[in-house]
């Protein structure tokens, strides 16, 4: 079974790509809504929270853990050191965007914790960033989680309204692919980049290399840490769309 987690249902955008590539795996999805949002937590707080999630997934017998959350992935080195299990982590697809259009205006949207993390700083510093805008979007994942469409539009208008020359948007939080349309309402047509395809390829490679590929009927189990039935319904609605 593949364990996958996020602070809520945003990681479903990663799970979809995984299922495309690995339809015969069983999945256990952990939505940690009890502790969401992750993006405004301190590193120390987050270490405790994600360690508990990983412990749960290991105890349930997962063979690999996919961190379907850019914010939690900033702690991947810490988790790899602490737990003896395979991990695949997501990161903002800044390399992809830069390779695609290094000379165009790139907007990176992510949570505060991701933008401020050493891990993202290392990635960011590899490139010439003169055309890049970094935008930490506190509170946005929470609005998406609650599916508050009006509030999302107001938030984006306020945050993005001043930009009229953006060509590429890096969706550095796994919730953000769910609001591509809302973003384009403000910025017009843009090219989007996110790390989910890279994650699914890496999971495939690792499982194949370690002879761990499965041939099951592809069951998907959903667990929410605050036992919220609405989350489960929303999760399967997005997954099956
Ligand atoms: N979906 C998460 C991410 O990719 C985090 C959202 C949050 O809880 O702040 O960063």
């Amino acid at each position: 079974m593949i364990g996958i987690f996020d602070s809520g249902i945003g990681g479903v955008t990663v799970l979809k790509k995984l299922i495309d590539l690995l339809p015969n795996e069983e999945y256990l999805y952990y939505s940690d809504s009890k502790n969401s949002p992750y993006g405004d937590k301190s590193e120390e707080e987050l270490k405790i929270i994600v360690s508990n999630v990983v412990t749960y997934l290991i105890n349930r017998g997962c063979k690999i853990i996919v961190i379907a959350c850019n914010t939690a992935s900033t702690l991947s080195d810490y988790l790899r050191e602490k737990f003896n299990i395979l991990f695949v982590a997501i990161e903002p697809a800044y390399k992809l965007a830069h390779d695609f259009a290094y000379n165009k205006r790139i907007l990176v949207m992510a949570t505060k914790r991701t933008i401020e993390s050493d891990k993202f700083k290392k990635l960011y510093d590899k490139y010439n960033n003169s055309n890049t805008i970094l935008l930490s979007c506190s509170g946005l994942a929470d609005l998406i989680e609650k599916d508050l469409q009006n509030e999302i539009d107001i938030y984006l208008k306020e945050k993005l309204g001043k930009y009229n020359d953006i060509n590429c948007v890096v969706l550095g939080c796994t919730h953000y692919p769910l609001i591509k349309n809302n973003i384009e309402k403000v910025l017009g047509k843009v090219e989007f980049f996110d790390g989910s395809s890279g994650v699914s390829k890496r999971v495939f490679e690792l499982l194949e290399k370690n002879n761990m590929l499965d041939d099951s009927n592809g069951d998907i189990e959903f667990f929410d840490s605050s036992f919220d039935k609405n989350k489960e319904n929303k999760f399967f609605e997005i997954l099956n769309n």
Side-chain angles (χ1 to χ4, degrees):
M1 180 162 64
I2 295 178
I4 169 167
F5 76 94
D6 180 34
S7 62
I9 57 175
V12 70
T13 59
V14 179
L15 179 60
K16 274 181 168 220
K17 294 275 171 57
L18 277 167
I19 295 170
D20 284 348
L21 205 58
L22 293 159
N24 298 325
E25 294 290 333
E26 276 182 60
Y27 295 91
L28 170 56
Y29 185 98
Y30 190 113
S31 148
D32 194 11
S33 68
K34 193 172 87 181
N35 295 303
S36 84
Y38 281 179
D40 296 325
K41 300 256 183 319
S42 73
E43 189 175 312
E44 287 316 305
E45 263 178 297
L46 210 53
K47 278 182 178 167
I48 297 168
I49 289 169
V50 296
S51 293
N52 287 337
V53 177
V54 168
T55 302
Y56 174 89
L57 293 172
I58 291 174
N59 288 342
R60 287 289 313 273
C62 293
K63 59 183 176 183
I64 187 168
I65 294 179
V66 178
I67 312 174
C69 169
N70 291 266
T71 309
S73 290
T74 62
L75 299 176
S76 58
D77 291 347
Y78 165 80
L79 290 174
R80 285 193 174 100
E81 221 165 86
K82 183 164 174 180
F83 296 97
N84 184 23
I85 188 164
L86 292 172
F87 282 101
V88 175
I90 193 164
E91 68 178 8
Y94 187 50
K95 179 184 185 314
L96 268 186
H98 208 272
D99 289 350
F100 176 81
Y102 68 95
N103 54 351
K104 300 235 174 89
R105 290 286 267 174
I106 300 173
L107 176 71
V108 180
M109 297 172 70
T111 66
K112 186 166 176 284
R113 172 111 321 277
T114 300
I115 299 266
E116 288 175 1
S117 68
D118 292 342
K119 197 166 177 223
F120 179 70
K121 194 172 177 331
K122 266 191 209 145
L123 171 71
Y124 185 70
D125 286 346
K126 284 188 191 158
Y127 303 95
N128 167 2
N129 302 308
S130 53
N131 280 316
T132 303
I133 299 156
L134 293 183
L135 205 58
S136 97
C137 299
S138 271
L140 182 56
D142 210 31
L143 297 179
I144 300 168
E145 192 69 28
K146 295 179 179 135
D147 198 15
L148 297 171
Q149 289 298 321
N150 251 346
E151 283 81 349
I152 292 169
D153 285 337
I154 293 167
Y155 183 104
L156 291 174
K157 205 162 182 202
E158 226 165 74
K159 229 21 194 194
L160 309 179
K162 56 176 175 268
Y163 304 115
N164 52 17
D165 57 349
I166 303 291
N167 306 96
C168 301
V169 176
V170 175
L171 302 167
C173 164
T174 54
H175 284 74
Y176 301 167
L178 299 172
I179 56 159
K180 283 182 183 171
N181 291 341
N182 309 66
I183 293 172
E184 284 196 324
K185 269 197 238 168
V186 184
L187 294 180
K189 193 100 195 84
V190 290
E191 206 70 48
F192 288 109
F193 299 86
D194 74 75
S196 55
S197 296
V199 165
S200 56
K201 280 185 207 136
R202 184 71 189 135
V203 173
F204 183 85
E205 271 168 22
L206 276 180
L207 292 182
E208 192 180 42
K209 187 171 133 206
N210 290 287
N211 272 327
M212 286 163 78
L213 284 167
D214 219 341
D215 193 16
S216 77
N217 56 3
D219 280 351
I220 297 155
E221 182 183 334
F222 178 86
F223 174 80
D224 180 69
S225 57
S226 42
F227 307 100
D228 185 342
K229 196 72 194 156
N230 291 330
K231 296 256 178 238
E232 181 165 357
N233 295 339
K234 189 79 200 158
F235 169 85
F236 281 108
E237 184 190 314
I238 300 171
L239 192 64
N240 297 325
N241 250 321

